[in-house]
Amino acid sequence: MEHAAQVVDPFIFRLSIFVLAVFVGYFVVWSVTPALHTPLMSVTNAISSVIVVGALLAVGVGMISSGSGWARGFGFVALVFACVNIFGGFLVTQRMLAMYKKKSK
């Protein structure tokens, strides 16, 4: 395994892992039954909270040491996207849970 990692360009190796992860994620999400979409949305919100922690660390690197401005910029962009994902996920989850409530007459 170590020889294969040395022969292949690291960018190609990481890109192939990313492409495989996209395909696996696509097929996993689309094969979930609609009844399980709400728990799946909650799990993605939890994953996004981990992204927020990482983005906050990336933004704070420049304040602690002489980190590059790129890390802070990408950290800020990741922070904004993760926050949009979290709040959008909560709104979608709330709407989906409202769909399952019985209407009173």
Side-chain angles (χ1 to χ4, degrees):
M1 184 66 188
E2 187 174 315
H3 295 292
Q6 292 175 350
V7 173
V8 178
D9 186 22
F11 176 75
I12 299 298
F13 184 70
R14 292 175 185 143
L15 182 65
S16 63
I17 290 173
F18 176 74
V19 170
L20 288 174
V22 167
F23 278 111
V24 168
Y26 176 80
F27 285 110
V28 165
V29 168
W30 284 109
S31 63
V32 171
T33 59
L36 295 177
H37 279 187
T38 302
L40 183 64
M41 188 69 72
S42 299
V43 170
T44 57
N45 284 342
I47 293 170
S48 293
S49 67
V50 174
I51 294 171
V52 166
V53 171
L56 286 174
L57 289 175
V59 170
V61 164
M63 297 177 188
I64 296 172
S65 65
S66 60
S68 70
W70 287 101
R72 293 178 69 187
F74 281 124
F76 180 73
V77 170
L79 182 65
V80 169
F81 283 149
C83 288
V84 167
N85 188 25
I86 288 172
F87 293 119
F90 279 122
L91 291 175
V92 169
T93 302
Q94 183 181 12
R95 184 171 177 173
M96 289 179 74
L97 289 175
M99 290 171 49
Y100 290 111
K101 285 184 178 177
K102 292 183 179 180
K103 295 179 181 177
S104 61
K105 293 184 180 182

